[in-house]
């Protein structure tokens, strides 16, 4: 199915699919350009027919949040602002659970906040939040209990970071990373041990600046590419 969103409704920035098959769309008000500050969550069925808004709590610690990423994980709605380096977790009815200051958790000095942003992130089934900060050459993991762990270093050798693109977690807690500069997809286990990396789709075809990552329940990894190369699909096999 294909559907259009009425201009009067707003500009869809991101969306997620619920277990029921319905969609949640992160929508900014129309007519205000990229500087729009009014946003909402809209539910629609799989044909795009509106089913109403979710009354999202935008007060308290969530005040001023301008999200541009939406993830649905384990019965929670996660909204992220990559530029503001903030994250908020909501219950399905829109009640605010918690807000995370990702810059503070990443150990960024206050004076460096304006020069940094999050490039990729994911939330595991256990609530672990993983995000990458390219200017640090670091990936950070926030455990459900609030502890923060991190890893990474710059370099061109296998397992090192050039310009990180995105992060994805599988059901075992393994961390998949795309690196636009090195042109590879890397895999680390939940203890941050480097497992492997690949720079090619086949013997004759190389990855072209891999970017966004997504994993499906069937054990497949989807990797976006530049230059109209489309999406590369990998079958995930256990590490030796």
């Amino acid at each position: 199915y294909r559907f259009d969103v009425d201009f009067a409704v707003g500009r869809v920035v991101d969306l997620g699919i619920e277990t029921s098959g319905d969609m949640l769309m992160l929508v900014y008000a129309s007519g205000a350009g990229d500087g729009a500050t009014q946003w909402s969550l809209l539910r629609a069925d799989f044909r795009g027919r509106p089913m109403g808004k979710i009354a999202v709590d935008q007060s308290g610690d969530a005040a001023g949040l301008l999200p541009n990423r939406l993830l649905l994980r384990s019965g929670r709605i996660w909204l992220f602002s990559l530029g503001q380096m903030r994250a908020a977790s909501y219950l399905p009815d829109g009640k605010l659970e918690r807000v995370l200051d990702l810059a503070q958790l990443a150990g960024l000095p206050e004076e460096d906040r304006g020069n940094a942003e999050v490039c990729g992130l994911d939330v595991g089934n256990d609530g672990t939040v993983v995000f990458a900060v390219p200017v640090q050459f670091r990936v950070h993991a926030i455990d459900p209990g609030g502890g923060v762990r991190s890893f990474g270093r710059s370099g061109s050798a296998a397992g090192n970071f050039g310009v990180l693109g995105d992060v994805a977690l599988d059901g075992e807690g393994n961390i998949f990373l795309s690196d636009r500069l090195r042109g590879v997809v890397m895999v680390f286990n939940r203890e941050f041990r480097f497992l492997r990396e690949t720079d090619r789709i086949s013997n004759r075809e190389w990855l072209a600046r891999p970017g966004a990552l997504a994993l499906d329940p069937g054990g497949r990894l989807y990797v976006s590419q530049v230059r109209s190369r489309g999406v590369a699909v990998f079958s995930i096999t256990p590490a030796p």
Side-chain angles (χ1 to χ4, degrees):
Y1 293 91
R2 177 185 181 276
F3 66 94
D4 297 317
V5 178
D6 192 326
F7 180 77
V9 172
R11 175 170 56 94
V12 177
V13 174
D14 202 1
L15 60 81
I17 307 298
E18 298 181 302
T19 54
S20 64
D22 295 333
M23 293 183 290
L24 281 187
M25 297 185 290
L26 173 60
V27 178
Y28 275 78
S30 297
D34 291 337
T37 59
Q38 297 179 357
W39 58 271
S40 59
L41 286 183
L42 303 182
R43 177 174 280 113
D45 66 14
F46 69 97
R47 289 187 173 92
R49 294 176 296 200
M51 300 172 62
K53 289 185 178 182
I54 295 178
V56 182
D57 183 357
Q58 301 182 39
S59 63
D61 291 340
L65 178 69
L66 298 175
N68 50 8
R69 285 292 307 276
L70 181 156
L71 294 176
L72 303 178
R73 296 289 188 273
S74 301
R76 297 295 185 271
I77 302 169
W78 283 90
L79 297 175
F80 296 86
S81 174
L82 304 185
Q84 293 177 315
M85 300 186 72
R86 297 174 67 197
S89 170
Y90 290 89
L91 296 175
D93 62 359
K95 181 180 179 181
L96 180 67
E97 269 196 322
R98 58 173 173 158
V99 175
L100 301 176
D101 185 334
L102 301 181
Q104 181 183 59
L105 292 166
L108 275 174
E110 189 67 31
E111 60 271 19
D112 291 343
R113 285 180 177 239
N115 299 316
E117 66 177 4
V118 173
C119 73
L121 49 88
D122 202 357
V123 180
N125 295 331
D126 63 351
T128 298
V129 178
V130 176
F131 64 98
V133 183
V135 298
Q136 291 183 310
F137 301 98
R138 302 290 286 177
V139 172
H140 305 275
I142 307 170
D143 299 323
V148 182
R149 302 175 295 140
S150 63
F151 71 100
R153 61 181 179 180
S154 64
S156 58
N160 291 344
F161 299 164
V163 177
L164 292 174
D166 200 5
V167 179
L169 291 170
D170 69 9
E172 303 299 320
N174 295 313
I175 303 168
F176 293 76
L177 299 170
S178 61
D179 192 309
R180 297 180 185 275
L181 180 62
R182 295 187 55 234
V184 300
V185 172
M186 296 172 275
V187 188
F188 296 79
N189 68 12
R190 62 188 313 140
E191 283 77 39
F192 305 153
R193 182 172 65 88
F194 175 63
L195 300 180
R196 67 183 107 171
E197 71 177 32
T198 184
D199 58 3
R200 61 184 64 202
I201 302 169
S202 66
N203 291 334
R204 297 183 178 180
E205 189 174 7
W206 301 73
L207 281 167
R209 293 189 64 188
L213 303 176
L215 287 153
D216 72 12
R220 288 177 291 267
L221 174 69
Y222 300 80
V223 184
S224 70
Q225 302 178 90
V226 297
R227 297 199 297 269
S228 302
R229 290 282 297 275
V231 176
V233 184
F234 296 87
S235 176
I236 306 302
T237 58

